[in-house]
Every structure is written in C-alpha cells, then in structure tokens.
Amino acid sequence: MPVPVPRQRDTPATENGQAVLTATAPPLVQATPQATTHTTPLTLLVIEDDPAGGLTVPEILDSDGHRIRLRTARNLTEAARLLTPDVHCILLDLALPDTGPRTAAATTTAADQLANLRQVLRIAPRHAVLVLTAEADAERAAEAVRVGAQDFLFRDELDGRLLSRAIRYAVERKRADIAQYKLAESKLRAQENARLERGLLPNPLLEGSDLRFAARYRPGRSRALLGGDFYDTVRTPDGTVHAMIGDVCGHGPDEAALGVELRIAWRALTLAGLCGDDLLATLQEVLEVERPCEEIFATLCTVDIAPDGRRAGLCLAGHPAPLISRPGRPARLLPYENSGPALGLLPKARWPRRQVELGGTWSLMLYTDGLIEGRIGAGKERLGQDGMVEMINRHLDDGLSGENLLEASVTEARRLNGGELTDDVAVVLLSRGAS
C-alpha cells in the first residue's frame, strides 16, 4: 500500500533534513553512478504542495536493500536549497502552484502551465526529472517530456515497481543525454577549430606560373591543426615567385597565432614589393610588437625565384637552408654561409641576400627544424640535415616526387623517432620541369 509522502517537519527519522522510508518493497536496481557503491543510498527529491495530503509515494529500496532517502520541498525555493549533488532524481508534481521566480529563460507567458518544470530544469540541468500528474492530463504530461523531463507518471497508477523502474530509466537516460550532449559539443568545437585552423593555412597564389607546389604540415601539440610553423607562396605581377617558411619558437596556441600574423604580414609586404633585407627588417618590427614576451623569436627562410625559373635569391634568418634536387644529381643543401640571425634576437640586424643558380629542371624543398630534430632510435642521435639529405635521396631514387615525396619523408622521420615528432613540422616543395 502506498503511504503519504513524509514531510521533514513531522518525520521522526531524518538525516540532515532527509526523511528515510522504512517499509520494504521490490528493490531498485542501481540507478546512477552515485548508487553503484554499497554505502551510498538513493536520494529522491519530491517537489509538491498538497495540503490535503493526497500525493503518495510508495516505499522502495535500492538493490542493496538500503532505505531510499526522500527529500520533500513545498516550493521551488525550498527545492533549490535541498538540491545537492547526492540527489539522483527529482519528482515534480505538475499541480504545484506556480510560485517560483520567473525569468525570461524559464517561462514564455504568464499562462505557461509548465513554468515550474522549466524552472526546475534551469536550476537542475544535470539531474533526472520525472513529472507527476493526473491521467486526465496526459497531453500536458507528454508536453513536459518534450520540454525536457525524462518521463511522466500518473498519480493514480503510482506504485513501488513503477516508480523504481521510472527512476532507473530517468537517471540512465539523463546520463546518456548528458554524455551525448558533451560528445556533440566536443565534435562541434573540433569542427569549428578545424575550419578555423584550416582557414589560417595559406592557399598558394601561383596563377600564371609553371611551378608545381606541394606542402605537408604536422603540428606538434596534441589535437591541433596549426602550430608555430608557417609558410606561404605568392607570385607577384612581374612573374617572380616568392616562397617562405618560418618557425616561431615553441608550438602552443600563442606561437601559432604569432606565426599566422607573420605569414599574413609577409604576404602583404611581398605583394607590396618588399623583399630581402627590407622585408625581413619589417617582419622583425611586426614580431617585436606582436610577441607576448621578449624571449620569443622566429626563424625564417625566404626564396624569390626569377620569372625564368633558373635562379633565385635566398635569405636565411637563423633557419635551415633549403634542399635542391636536380635530375641525375644527388639532392644537396643550398649554400647557407653569411645567414642572418633569427627575427627578434638582435635589433637593427641585417640579412644578406644570396643569389643561387637553380637550372632548368629542379625541385626546391623548404622545411622547418621539426623534420630534422627527431631522434634516430632509442639513443640521443638526431636525424639532422645530413640524415635528411640521405633520406630524401633514397626516396628520389625510388622515384618519389611531389606530395608522395613529402609524405614519405615526414612518415619516415616519425618512424625513426619511434613515434610522433614533438615539434611542429612544415615542408614546402616547389618544382619546375619534369615531375
């Protein structure tokens, strides 16, 4: 037989305002993570105000035979005070007078019959909620579920077995809903970040040029698409193709943001006609203004390829020299004597521009030090530039070129390192003539 809901003011057995049901009934299967231990009993918060004492809740036990802790609140203000993390489920009487505080988010109009439910969902977004109503009010009960309740119960059909099942279902469904929401939120955030970071990677501007372009990018920080490395390639109206690659020290989000700023500044300055020492000096000014602290610096390699494609100007600011390969010859590094310091290290620094001969058919690879600083095996030996040159020559002998050459090189560097490379890696390949 159901018994009247005991109130805190007249229940002899209480624990911190929690009334304890004492009769026996079919046990309740574990309902929530809090109820999975043998020492934590289930707690149900009932929100009702029935002066006639008509609302009754059957007596139930959990799966371990523990007495179900019951809390009762006569209004929403009292419910908010009793709503603590150990409450597993809320049972709301839809007949409760609408006396709770109203907000624009909680209600739509004064005639909203589900205002109390909306308020409960607002103050208890992580709790399972059941609603109780008369069988004749089935339409409003169904609307309550659409609003956000986990389930509804009819007052005249309430018994121990039904309530046990309803609480178990409500709690598990709420847990599933929260997990699904978090998963969807995580996926949405990842998609937004991916769109943002992909949008920050450059699209080469090579229209009208006979050069082929390929690039590979692998950030060092986990779950990121963009690190402190940056690159870009543009063709100016005179037919010159300008390419650059750079590396901001570190590989966190601040470094990634600074790398993007430097790349955009480089493109704007290049299209405005600057090159060589003038360009790098201006980029150093940008770095000094935008960097979060004075210890931050950036290395940079710029190459401007003449319209005929047979020669290029090279500037190095503390950056590894590019690698060139030609048909019938082993790949080698371009000369890197007299390079200038990294950007941000020395005020009023100079960066000499060196003229290099490319020939008719060639491939020029620009890269960041993440590619060459990976270890070889379990020791402390690193791949280095010499090891990279040997690796590229092996891949060239196997007939690899373009995207396949870059993918194979980054993959092998990762394999030699015994896992993911810890630093950002960027590689750019410009080719002219036979593929």
Side-chain angles (χ1 to χ4, degrees):
M1 286 290 292
V3 297
V5 175
R7 295 187 182 281
Q8 293 172 317
R9 58 180 180 273
D10 56 11
T11 303
T14 61
E15 298 178 6
N16 297 324
Q18 299 173 349
V20 181
L21 297 177
T22 58
T24 60
L28 175 66
V29 176
Q30 294 172 349
T32 66
Q34 295 100 317
T36 57
T37 67
H38 292 280
T39 59
T40 305
L42 186 74
T43 300
L44 177 69
L45 174 60
V46 179
I47 308 175
E48 63 87 24
D49 184 14
D50 189 353
L55 177 60
T56 58
V57 173
E59 296 162 345
I60 50 178
L61 302 178
D62 66 16
S63 60
D64 294 323
H66 292 134
R67 297 171 179 175
I68 299 301
R69 290 180 174 177
L70 181 69
R71 297 181 184 178
T72 60
R74 292 164 293 184
N75 52 56
L76 297 183
T77 301
E78 190 173 328
R81 179 175 60 83
L82 296 175
L83 190 62
T84 53
D86 62 323
V87 172
H88 298 75
C89 187
I90 298 171
L91 179 61
L92 171 66
D93 184 5
L94 289 183
L96 183 73
D98 182 12
T99 58
R102 289 182 174 274
T103 65
T107 64
T108 54
T109 69
D112 189 348
Q113 294 181 329
L114 297 177
N116 284 329
L117 173 60
R118 297 178 190 275
Q119 183 71 3
V120 168
L121 295 174
R122 186 184 69 81
I123 65 176
R126 300 183 63 83
H127 288 74
V129 177
L130 296 169
V131 295
L132 189 65
T133 188
E135 187 173 359
D137 210 5
E139 184 175 345
R140 183 162 64 135
E143 179 64 23
V145 174
R146 287 192 289 270
V147 168
Q150 272 61 59
D151 205 349
F152 63 86
L153 299 169
F154 293 137
R155 186 191 311 270
D156 297 337
E157 298 179 357
L158 198 61
D159 59 37
R161 185 179 298 275
L162 177 62
L163 182 58
S164 299
R165 185 170 64 249
I167 293 174
R168 181 173 64 252
Y169 171 78
V171 171
E172 294 302 328
R173 180 178 177 183
K174 185 64 178 181
R175 290 176 59 194
D177 288 346
I178 291 175
Q180 186 65 29
Y181 175 79
K182 288 183 177 180
L183 179 61
E185 188 179 49
S186 176
K187 288 182 177 179
L188 180 61
R189 185 181 297 112
Q191 290 170 355
E192 290 175 346
N193 289 341
R195 285 195 295 271
L196 174 62
E197 293 183 319
R198 287 193 184 101
L200 294 176
L201 291 175
N203 292 316
L205 301 180
L206 290 174
E207 184 177 358
S209 172
D210 61 352
L211 301 185
R212 294 184 302 278
F213 173 89
R216 277 293 180 271
Y217 199 105
R218 186 188 296 270
R221 61 191 171 104
S222 175
R223 298 186 300 275
L225 292 178
L226 201 63
D229 292 1
F230 54 99
Y231 64 89
D232 204 351
T233 305
V234 299
R235 181 176 183 267
T236 49
D238 65 355
T240 302
V241 172
H242 305 262
M244 72 89 174
I245 195 166
D247 182 3
V248 178
C249 64
H251 49 271
D254 290 338
E255 290 77 9
L258 183 56
V260 170
E261 291 180 277
L262 291 174
R263 181 189 69 77
I264 294 174
W266 177 88
R267 174 174 285 200
L269 293 170
T270 299
L271 293 175
L274 272 69
C275 67
D277 185 73
D278 292 338
L279 174 59
L280 292 176
T282 307
L283 285 177
Q284 175 158 281
E285 293 180 11
V286 174
L287 172 67
E288 291 172 345
V289 171
E290 298 296 336
R291 62 185 175 184
C293 62
E294 293 185 358
E295 289 74 22
I296 297 295
F297 63 90
T299 66
L300 197 69
C301 167
T302 67
V303 176
D304 49 280
I305 302 169
D308 63 6
R310 303 187 66 88
R311 61 189 183 280
L314 172 66
C315 283
L316 296 176
H319 199 89
L323 179 146
I324 187 170
S325 63
R326 302 183 181 93
R329 306 184 197 176
R332 64 177 181 84
L333 298 175
L334 288 179
Y336 50 87
E337 297 85 0
N338 301 322
S339 63
L343 302 182
L345 290 183
L346 299 176
K348 299 181 180 180
R350 302 302 298 270
W351 294 272
R353 180 175 178 272
R354 184 186 185 103
Q355 191 78 11
V356 295
E357 295 296 325
L358 301 178
T361 301
W362 48 264
S363 289
L364 193 63
M365 191 179 85
L366 287 63
Y367 54 94
T368 57
D369 59 8
L371 180 66
I372 60 177
E373 290 188 348
R375 299 184 184 277
I376 299 178
K380 295 183 178 181
E381 184 182 359
R382 299 188 182 273
L383 177 63
Q385 287 182 291
D386 291 340
M388 180 197 66
V389 172
E390 293 179 7
M391 176 180 69
I392 295 297
N393 279 317
R394 287 198 304 272
H395 293 320
L396 291 173
D397 291 341
D398 292 337
L400 298 181
S401 63
E403 298 277 356
N404 293 332
L405 174 63
L406 298 188
E407 183 64 28
S409 299
V410 174
T411 299
E412 182 172 352
R414 179 183 177 277
R415 180 184 61 80
L416 293 172
N417 190 59
E420 288 294 343
L421 299 166
T422 57
D423 198 5
D424 305 325
V425 177
V427 190
V428 172
L429 187 68
L430 290 168
S431 303
R432 181 175 185 268
S435 59

